[in-house]
Amino acid sequence: MTASTAKAQRFREFKMPDVGEGLTEAEILKWYVQPGDTVTDGQVVCEVETAKAAVELPIPYDGVVHELNFGEGVTVDVGTVIISVDTDPGAGPAEAPTANGTEQAAAATEDEDAEPQGRQAVLVGYGAAPSSTKRRARKPQPGVPAQPASAPIQAELNGRAAPAPMAAPVAAPAAPAAPVVPAAPAVPAASTAGAGSVGRPLAKPPVRKLAKDLGIDLATITPTGPGGIITREDVHAAAAPAAAPSLAGAPEPMAVATVVAPAEPGIVDAAARERRVPVKGVRKATAQAMVASAFTAPHVTEFITVDVTRTMKLVQELKQDPDMAGLRVNPLLLVAKAFLVAIKRHPEVNAAWDEAHQEIVYKDYINLGIAAATPRGLIVPNIKDAGVKTLPQLAAELGDLVATAREGKTSPAAMAGGTVTITNVGVFGVDTGTPILNPGESAILAFGAVKLQPWVHKGKVAARQVTTLALSFDHRLIDGELGSKLLADVAAVLERPKRLITWG
């Protein structure tokens, strides 16, 4: 065993895992350890926020924390080393392996152990899969002078061609008699020489998207990441306003006096009263999901106003029922049960559109999503197999779901696989709305505020407790007739809750 191999085995590196299938990055919210702290296998060392939820990460090693590679609030790509652990602190002081040393040690370990490569072993998530991308050798271009072997390799890693030889200097032109507009600066040789041989800049998909959003050309960025990879920090640095250096040999532009008009009294710059917050985490995921849903599934929304006086009386009675002791009983619970009963009467509603296979997937289970407002934004966890649960079971799971969401501890698995959703806008005093479907689901029911209103009851106008329901559905899956019947049945159950027994 070589010295570098032993050093790499002593200092174990933990990479950001994929805590939810398909995620590409996560933000470090909080570190629970610091360099010098002792950690054990399975101990939680940090909390990260993905596009779906906040997740605590346990370390799979015993030892002493050697280094934290990123601070709190930093977004890190999946597969990036975030912490290193000294697994043999009693062996005396030693330097952690460098990037080059780590690669050599890894190569030596591979030769000695000949173990198959795979995802990194982690305690949470799917780990980081090794890259299998390979590049073909590039054909020499006619007319391009030969370069040392190291030059094209470095240029390839940097995502641009090697610079062309500098042309001979040209004599400076005589001073013009009148002001002349400076000529446009010449295009750098790095972007023109051998255009056909210029490789695509090396950057991960999230970094490419960030550069596109900021209007930055990746080919103009000097990478600082390992192996010539462009990082998020490189893109942000390129986007930061900076004075462009003047090109050697180019004429200096003539200074032009700028007259600034005096600000009118009482007028304040609007930018001084604005705040810009990066779009990330749950907010970013919500925005992407809502845009995808709104422009993919053709939405139809229908409304119905219903007298729920009997349902509100039943809520009060259930609160005194011994079978519901210790459980949270509220109108949302009975709305959820009414929705489930209506779906059982119209099972064709519970479906999904498979665009890739051009199929409709009918589901014999109901995973009921509950839209929850949390400090981090809107999330939609769901109750698995809600259609087969009793009222006490549904109340218990609904209470646990809401409490976990408010604490920010909802797992990605709890938000996956939903089939239909309820959003309770009534808690904000709103009568109703036109809810947007959760991607992959067929319908979403909005429950509005319950208010005392004049209502014709038994032939007379009386004060009754009334609410408005709104049902949005995917018109590819649900025709107007089916959607109308579903909404009418929900309203019928809430108007006469004894139908929970006769229809259930």
Side-chain angles (χ1 to χ4, degrees):
M1 180 183 297
T2 65
S4 59
T5 303
K7 187 180 294 184
Q9 291 180 348
R10 173 179 172 180
F11 291 92
R12 305 300 297 273
E13 296 178 334
F14 180 66
K15 300 177 180 179
M16 178 69 75
D18 178 3
V19 295
E21 187 66 54
L23 297 179
T24 59
E25 61 184 11
E27 177 187 354
I28 299 176
L29 294 180
K30 183 177 180 61
W31 282 108
Y32 296 121
V33 296
Q34 295 297 326
D37 291 352
T38 300
V39 294
T40 57
D41 187 355
Q43 177 180 338
V44 174
V45 295
C46 68
E47 181 182 21
V48 301
E49 183 184 45
T50 69
K52 296 182 178 180
V55 181
E56 292 181 335
L57 297 184
I59 193 81
Y61 312 124
D62 292 327
V64 173
V65 177
H66 177 74
E67 184 180 9
L68 305 181
N69 291 14
F70 299 94
E72 296 177 355
V74 178
T75 300
V76 182
D77 293 334
V78 168
T80 304
V81 176
I82 60 175
I83 181 175
S84 59
V85 175
D86 185 353
T87 60
D88 189 13
E95 296 180 358
T98 62
N100 188 32
T102 302
E103 295 174 359
Q104 294 176 354
T109 304
E110 181 179 358
D111 293 339
E112 293 175 5
D113 300 336
E115 294 181 354
Q117 295 291 329
R119 288 185 179 268
Q120 176 197 10
V122 294
L123 300 180
V124 172
Y126 303 88
S131 173
S132 60
T133 304
K134 296 183 179 179
R135 294 182 177 273
R136 296 178 297 175
R138 302 188 179 277
K139 298 179 180 180
Q141 297 295 320
V144 178
Q147 299 177 348
S150 59
I153 295 176
Q154 185 60 38
E156 175 71 13
L157 290 176
N158 290 340
R160 58 181 187 272
M166 183 177 296
V170 180
V180 178
V181 178
V187 178
S191 62
T192 57
S197 63
V198 176
R200 188 184 186 193
L202 302 180
K204 296 182 179 180
V207 178
R208 293 185 183 278
K209 185 177 186 305
L210 174 62
K212 181 179 179 181
D213 294 340
L214 296 178
I216 303 298
D217 184 0
L218 288 176
T220 64
I221 299 177
T222 301
T224 61
I229 296 178
I230 298 174
T231 65
R232 298 176 67 92
E233 289 73 19
D234 296 336
V235 176
H236 284 301
S246 58
L247 296 176
E252 293 289 341
M254 297 181 64
V256 179
T258 303
V259 179
V260 180
E264 297 183 13
I267 295 183
V268 182
D269 184 11
R273 296 181 293 169
E274 297 176 346
R275 293 182 299 113
R276 291 181 176 267
V277 179
V279 180
K280 57 185 178 180
V282 175
R283 173 57 56 193
K284 181 178 180 179
T286 301
Q288 293 173 342
M290 293 299 96
V291 170
S293 176
F295 291 97
T296 300
H299 286 55
V300 174
T301 305
E302 295 184 340
F303 307 89
I304 190 169
T305 303
V306 58
D307 177 4
V308 294
T309 304
R310 293 186 179 91
T311 292
M312 298 305 290
K313 289 181 180 179
L314 179 58
V315 169
Q316 298 304 319
E317 293 174 2
L318 289 174
K319 289 183 178 180
Q320 308 301 322
D321 194 310
D323 291 336
M324 304 297 288
L327 299 175
R328 182 176 177 82
V329 179
N330 54 22
L332 178 61
L333 173 63
L334 293 186
V335 171
K337 191 65 176 177
F339 195 23
L340 294 170
V341 169
I343 292 174
K344 285 183 180 179
R345 287 169 58 84
H346 307 284
E348 317 89 68
V349 166
N350 197 40
W353 184 274
D354 187 342
E355 182 68 26
H357 297 88
Q358 287 295 291
E359 296 175 341
I360 297 176
V361 183
Y362 291 99
K363 301 179 180 181
D364 297 328
Y365 58 91
I366 304 174
N367 290 346
L368 178 63
I370 304 294
T374 72
R376 293 192 177 97
L378 175 68
I379 62 174
V380 189
N382 59 76
I383 301 173
K384 311 298 183 187
D385 287 317
V388 299
K389 297 188 183 299
T390 63
L391 193 63
Q393 291 173 339
L394 191 63
E397 295 222 16
L398 184 58
D400 292 342
L401 178 148
V402 173
T404 303
R406 288 176 177 171
E407 294 172 359
K409 303 298 183 182
T410 303
S411 66
M415 292 183 284
T419 59
V420 293
T421 291
I422 294 178
T423 176
N424 185 10
V425 298
V427 295
F428 307 111
V430 176
D431 291 336
T432 191
T434 54
I436 298 178
L437 292 168
N438 204 29
E441 299 183 5
S442 60
I444 179 171
L445 178 71
F447 174 35
V450 178
K451 297 180 179 180
L452 203 62
Q453 296 182 14
W455 195 264
V456 178
H457 177 66
K458 295 182 179 179
K460 297 181 180 180
V461 177
R464 305 287 289 180
Q465 290 176 297
V466 177
T467 190
T468 300
L469 304 174
L471 179 72
S472 293
F473 51 87
D474 186 343
H475 215 344
R476 297 174 300 178
L477 300 165
I478 303 174
D479 293 333
E481 178 186 7
L482 179 59
S484 300
K485 288 181 177 179
L486 176 67
L487 182 58
D489 279 359
V490 176
V493 173
L494 295 177
E495 185 178 17
R496 295 183 178 274
K498 64 174 60 177
R499 290 190 173 107
L500 289 172
I501 300 174
T502 58
W503 289 1

